[in-house]
Amino acid sequence: MNSILEQDIMYLPGVGPKRKKILSTELGINNFGDLLEYYPYKYVDRSRIYSTRELTPDMPFVQLKGKILSYETFDMGPRKQRLVGHFSDGVGVIDLVWFSGVRWVTENYKVGKEYIIFGKPTIFNSRYQISHPDIDDASTLELNDMGMQPYYITTEKMKKTGITSRTMERIMKTLLSKLPPLPETLPDFIIKSRHLVSRDEAIRRVHYPHNQYEMQHARERMKFEELFYVQLNILRYTQNNRRKYKGYLLPKVGKAFKEFYDRNLPFELTGAQKRVTREIQHDMNTGRQMNRLIQGDVGSGKTLVALMAMLIAIDNGFQAVMMAPTEILAEQHLATIKEFLHDLDVRVELLTGIVKGKKRKEVMEGLISGDVNILIGTHAVIEDNVQFRNLGLAVIDEQHRFGVAQRAKLWAKNSNPPHILVMTATPIPRTLAMTIYGDLDVSVIDELPPGRKPIQTLHRYEDQTVSLYKGIRTEVAKGRQVYVVYPLIKESEKMDLQDLEAGFAHLQNVFPDYNMSKVHGKMKPQEKEAEMQRFAKGETQMLVATTVIEVGVNVPNASVMVIMEAQRFGLSQLHQLRGRVGRGADQSYCILVSGRELSTETRKRINIMCETNDGFRIAEADLKLRGPGDLEGTQQSGMAFDLKIANIAQDGQLVQMAREEAQKVIDVDPDCNAPQHAILWNRLQELRKSSVDWAAIS
């Protein structure tokens, strides 16, 4: 059967070498199997013939059966004509209108012959008309043959060469008529337990359903199958890793941890922090390698939990490393951790691109001798010449900024791979986490430390700056500080810089009595750092910046975040920026400033921000608004999002079902060799050989 699906589409009637080339470059369709997986994006009901008497202008699409009575042409300027065909179904007359292809239409659609026409009715000069209708010969088209008409996404290049959705539909029909019954790709027990239709029926009905019921069942089957194999691949990979890689046993909670907990802990841990610390402790005491993801909003205390895990590693004779995506963030972590560990006998060092010469040599020697207990740095820590005496734990901050190959380099830093703890302040909806972080155990810190007040988020228009400036003055008079952020979009960096410069000059005029800092991506790192330090020390009241401050600056005294042109930011970015304030005990505010003309989607984004501070609710909304491929980080995660029919945002329930079924298979067949599962492992092998990137993350 596979040999048929591997046949070149060039030899399918209606395709040929020219169309094959376009389908290959535009859609990646090269063989029959690729074409079958080119699913319709919508369907229109063509199972009913309407009468001209039933037409109303608000109807979406209708189908009429009748004859073209005559044609008329009207000049529309130089070399332009409008063609009108008067069409009657025996009850009334409507106009069929074409603005191009006039000669082709009159040569191919004959007066007096019976046709079925299909299109959207509108009213022009008190008469019903349909522009550029689909027309089929009534004698060759059975009514029940039409059913739900599929619509296929086509690119501009395809349309220019005459490959429309209708063309694709006809090519698909030819292919399905040539194919023998398609073999099953799921075992009988899954099909029965989940009440799924057969694969052959699903493929045929997903392209040509007779009605809504058939269409829904066909799509559900194909979505489930796609998600099931993604989950089976992740779980099989995870199972293999867990058996293959033994983890270091870290059973002891000793001097470093106890001294820190008793003397240096700045506040009582939240229930969530205690729960996650227990989960980590349990993982490091099982004898298998820990792979755990900590999700938690900005300010929820992830770094503190990671530090306690590092102290457990130290108490058991191991070293720990923390890898951050930027130098600013690495330095921030260094300052935070040194402050937490003051007076304790734990050596913490920094390794980034700016650590050079004698200092770098000292750090490297300290790592090899074991004198350096905790190393904090950027991707510099995974360079081949960075050697540890005994690395037991690696903490990765903002996991999505690192590629799979970079993370894998950490594994080679000891004879066994170290325990891995991943942190992210970008909350990820559960359905997405199950797919992109499928092989990680997930912990959630869903409480803020005591004394923190929820940030108030307000939306203001650009013409309401008088009240905005008054609010800023009130806060600064209390001794607080203010961020003002301008958007930065790479394509228009020059323009953005002008926006920032103009905004900075304007704010200097409005607040001549304030000291201000200015930070943007074009500045040298030391200039940026100096300006941020001035703000952090309270020497300036206002920090005017682009989004470079999204990560890496912690100023508890800052209580106002003003985001200019908020409509140019995504939800997760707005949420990250908002997290820069609300770090002290004072009431903090986030002001989203935009023009009055906003799209429906932008209004939704701004309303969600004003309604909730819950990062998980925001992430769910972001996923629904933008889809998984656009979410920050999913493209680099190493887990493919090449889903042909399923949608992580909308098919959460199916993701869960697929996960459950895949887990059952792995539980009863951990070695992947039970005869009843042969169909699954063979299919998974086929998929892994295909063009889909099935690599799972580590």
Side-chain angles (χ1 to χ4, degrees):
M1 183 68 210
N2 270 353
S3 58
I4 293 176
L5 296 182
E6 284 162 14
Q7 278 186 24
D8 195 317
I9 53 159
M10 183 167 76
Y11 303 109
L12 188 66
V15 182
K18 280 185 183 171
R19 281 184 169 175
K20 149 78 193 270
K21 192 178 176 188
I22 290 163
L23 292 175
S24 178
T25 52
E26 293 295 288
L27 301 172
I29 294 175
N30 295 297
N31 57 38
F32 289 3
D34 295 337
L35 186 58
L36 280 183
E37 290 185 346
Y38 177 60
Y39 300 111
Y41 73 96
K42 72 171 184 178
Y43 304 83
V44 173
D45 189 352
R46 291 197 62 177
S47 58
R48 185 183 160 197
I49 297 274
Y50 285 82
S51 154
T52 46
R53 197 181 283 149
E54 295 175 278
L55 297 184
T56 62
D58 58 351
M59 280 180 158
F61 288 89
V62 295
Q63 198 164 234
L64 302 166
K65 187 177 186 180
K67 296 174 182 176
I68 296 170
L69 306 176
S70 62
Y71 285 115
E72 270 185 281
T73 53
F74 299 88
D75 284 329
M76 295 174 63
R79 290 187 299 176
K80 282 193 175 177
Q81 282 187 321
R82 174 167 63 101
L83 176 68
V84 177
H86 304 297
F87 180 90
S88 172
D89 65 345
V91 179
V93 177
I94 71 161
D95 292 339
L96 309 181
V97 184
W98 291 269
F99 298 96
S100 60
V102 169
R103 196 164 133 207
W104 188 90
V105 171
T106 53
E107 282 175 5
N108 284 275
Y109 301 133
K110 304 298 181 190
V111 170
K113 189 173 178 181
E114 196 168 47
Y115 293 107
I116 287 175
I117 64 159
F118 177 75
K120 180 168 174 43
T122 55
I123 291 180
F124 179 71
N125 283 346
S126 305
R127 283 171 71 92
Y128 276 103
Q129 68 170 35
I130 294 177
S131 296
H132 290 266
D134 279 352
I135 300 185
D136 290 285
D137 185 335
S139 64
T140 62
L141 196 67
E142 288 292 323
L143 182 60
N144 62 4
D145 184 43
M146 291 303 294
M148 309 280 291
Q149 184 177 350
Y151 276 72
Y152 297 90
I153 288 170
T154 50
T155 66
E156 282 308 309
K157 201 169 177 185
M158 287 168 71
K159 286 173 194 155
K160 277 178 188 165
T161 52
I163 306 176
T164 61
S165 170
R166 197 72 201 275
T167 314
M168 292 307 297
E169 182 199 332
R170 288 179 180 131
I171 291 170
M172 194 69 74
K173 198 167 196 174
T174 305
L175 173 61
L176 289 171
S177 69
K178 286 184 164 300
L179 288 181
L182 293 162
E184 196 43 78
T185 47
L186 289 174
D188 210 34
F189 64 87
I190 290 181
I191 291 170
K192 282 179 177 160
S193 73
R194 293 297 175 180
H195 308 291
L196 301 170
V197 298
S198 73
R199 185 165 197 266
D200 183 66
E201 185 184 338
I203 284 281
R204 293 175 194 277
R205 293 295 164 242
V206 86
H207 290 291
Y208 279 96
H210 290 114
N211 50 51
Q212 196 83 14
Y213 176 84
E214 275 188 2
M215 182 264 286
Q216 282 170 347
H217 280 265
R219 287 182 73 82
E220 186 175 295
R221 156 67 205 243
M222 297 317 297
K223 285 179 178 190
F224 175 85
E225 179 177 326
E226 190 169 53
L227 293 166
F228 171 79
Y229 278 107
V230 169
Q231 294 299 334
L232 187 66
N233 187 63
I234 291 168
L235 292 171
R236 186 191 64 92
Y237 173 89
T238 309
Q239 171 83 4
N240 285 352
N241 268 8
R242 284 181 176 167
R243 295 196 307 179
K244 187 171 161 189
Y245 297 112
K246 294 281 174 267
Y248 293 113
L249 271 171
L250 309 180
K252 199 163 91 180
V253 176
K255 185 183 173 202
F257 186 97
K258 284 174 182 163
E259 281 187 355
F260 170 74
Y261 199 90
D262 295 340
R263 286 173 20 200
N264 289 22
L265 197 64
F267 45 75
E268 175 70 19
L269 293 177
T270 63
Q273 284 174 314
K274 287 176 181 172
R275 183 186 70 244
V276 174
T277 305
R278 280 196 299 272
E279 287 167 354
I280 292 166
Q281 211 178 333
H282 174 264
D283 282 356
M284 297 197 298
N285 202 13
T286 58
R288 66 174 177 83
Q289 187 212 12
M290 172 173 75
N291 272 295
R292 185 167 287 279
L293 169 71
I294 303 181
Q295 292 194 62
D297 263 332
V298 173
S300 60
K302 297 183 296 297
T303 309
L304 181 56
V305 170
L307 172 60
M308 292 194 290
M310 290 194 277
L311 292 173
I312 292 172
I314 292 164
D315 280 336
N316 286 274
F318 289 90
Q319 293 162 294
V321 64
M322 180 184 266
M323 191 159 79
T326 65
E327 289 188 353
I328 289 175
L329 196 51
E331 287 166 21
Q332 184 78 53
H333 280 314
L334 180 77
T336 305
I337 285 171
K338 279 196 162 177
E339 196 179 318
F340 277 144
L341 294 175
H342 65 89
D343 298 336
L344 293 185
D345 184 21
V346 175
R347 185 176 166 192
V348 186
E349 292 290 358
L350 180 74
L351 191 64
T352 65
I354 57 171
V355 179
K356 291 187 167 72
K358 191 181 170 193
K359 180 62 185 171
R360 192 179 188 88
K361 190 172 176 238
E362 277 176 21
V363 172
M364 305 285 251
E365 286 171 354
L367 288 171
I368 291 168
S369 68
D371 291 343
V372 172
N373 305 110
I374 296 174
L375 180 68
I376 297 169
T378 53
H379 56 270
V381 305
I382 56 173
E383 287 169 8
D384 293 338
N385 62 346
V386 179
Q387 299 295 324
F388 294 81
R389 181 166 180 235
N390 198 11
L391 181 64
L393 172 67
V395 179
I396 302 170
D397 192 22
E398 290 307 332
Q399 133 96 19
H400 58 260
R401 309 281 181 98
F402 296 102
V404 179
Q406 287 175 306
R407 292 192 300 273
K409 280 192 165 187
L410 282 168
W411 288 41
K413 298 292 180 187
N414 209 341
S415 51
N416 269 354
H419 292 294
I420 303 282
L421 191 61
V422 169
M423 304 194 296
T424 179
T426 309
I428 299 155
R430 193 160 180 274
T431 52
L432 195 59
M434 269 196 281
T435 306
I436 62 168
Y437 297 128
D439 67 329
L440 297 176
D441 298 308
V442 179
S443 291
V444 177
I445 301 182
D446 48 9
E447 291 174 68
L448 286 179
R452 294 272 179 96
K453 291 178 182 162
I455 301 160
Q456 278 188 30
T457 304
L458 309 164
H459 179 209
R460 294 289 178 263
Y461 294 109
E462 286 162 351
D463 54 14
Q464 294 177 318
T465 50
V466 174
S467 63
L468 171 65
Y469 296 154
K470 189 181 170 190
I472 287 174
R473 284 199 176 279
T474 305
E475 285 299 295
V476 174
K478 294 179 193 168
R480 315 270 183 266
Q481 288 163 281
V482 180
Y483 294 103
V484 181
V485 175
Y486 285 84
L488 177 66
I489 295 174
K490 280 177 185 153
E491 288 79 5
S492 58
E493 228 167 64
K494 202 170 178 183
M495 188 180 83
D496 291 318
L497 211 52
Q498 285 166 358
D499 283 356
L500 178 77
E501 298 292 357
F504 186 72
H506 172 68
L507 290 167
Q508 281 182 315
N509 285 335
V510 176
F511 304 106
D513 46 333
Y514 290 179
N515 292 323
M516 293 187 191
S517 294
K518 178 171 63 177
V519 176
H520 57 78
K522 292 280 185 191
M523 293 165 73
K524 289 178 181 164
Q526 50 269 45
E527 292 173 342
K528 234 187 291 186
E529 184 59 30
E531 284 299 296
M532 284 188 175
Q533 285 305 327
R534 283 178 69 212
F535 185 67
K537 288 173 186 167
E539 292 168 14
T540 56
Q541 286 82 39
M542 195 177 276
L543 175 61
V544 184
T546 56
T547 50
V548 292
I549 59 128
E550 191 180 329
V551 290
V553 62
N554 178 22
V555 183
N557 191 48
S559 65
V560 182
M561 166 62 73
V562 180
I563 303 174
M564 306 302 291
E565 294 185 65
Q567 74 276 7
R568 287 174 67 185
F569 293 88
L571 258 179
S572 60
Q573 204 176 19
L574 288 171
H575 183 61
Q576 285 275 340
L577 286 166
R578 174 167 64 182
R580 297 293 108 208
V581 296
R583 290 169 164 253
D586 307 306
Q587 179 62 59
S588 288
Y589 304 89
C590 177
I591 320 294
L592 308 175
V593 182
S594 76
R596 286 190 179 267
E597 284 188 29
L598 299 173
S599 68
T600 310
E601 191 178 295
T602 304
R603 278 196 193 279
K604 275 186 194 166
R605 278 207 306 269
I606 287 174
N607 289 343
I608 290 161
M609 285 295 296
C610 293
E611 284 164 18
T612 183
N613 283 300
D614 182 340
F616 287 93
R617 206 181 134 198
I618 286 164
E620 289 282 1
D622 205 16
L623 183 61
K624 285 197 169 78
L625 286 171
R626 297 202 285 161
D630 294 330
L631 287 189
E632 185 182 20
T634 59
Q635 302 296 16
Q636 307 96 312
S637 69
M639 182 59 230
F641 267 83
D642 189 14
L643 297 176
K644 302 274 174 50
I645 190 167
N647 181 317
I648 300 279
Q650 290 155 15
D651 300 321
Q653 213 172 347
L654 278 175
V655 175
Q656 184 67 49
M657 275 168 54
R659 178 82 169 185
E660 285 166 11
E661 288 297 337
Q663 189 64 62
K664 283 182 202 168
V665 170
I666 294 292
D667 287 347
V668 298
D669 186 13
D671 297 316
C672 311
N673 58 17
Q676 72 269 32
H677 297 142
I679 189 174
L680 297 177
W681 307 122
N682 291 339
R683 177 66 177 155
L684 195 58
Q685 212 167 3
E686 279 171 29
L687 290 167
R688 289 173 69 86
K689 279 182 196 164
S690 74
S691 58
V692 182
D693 174 15
W694 285 80
I697 70 161
S698 58

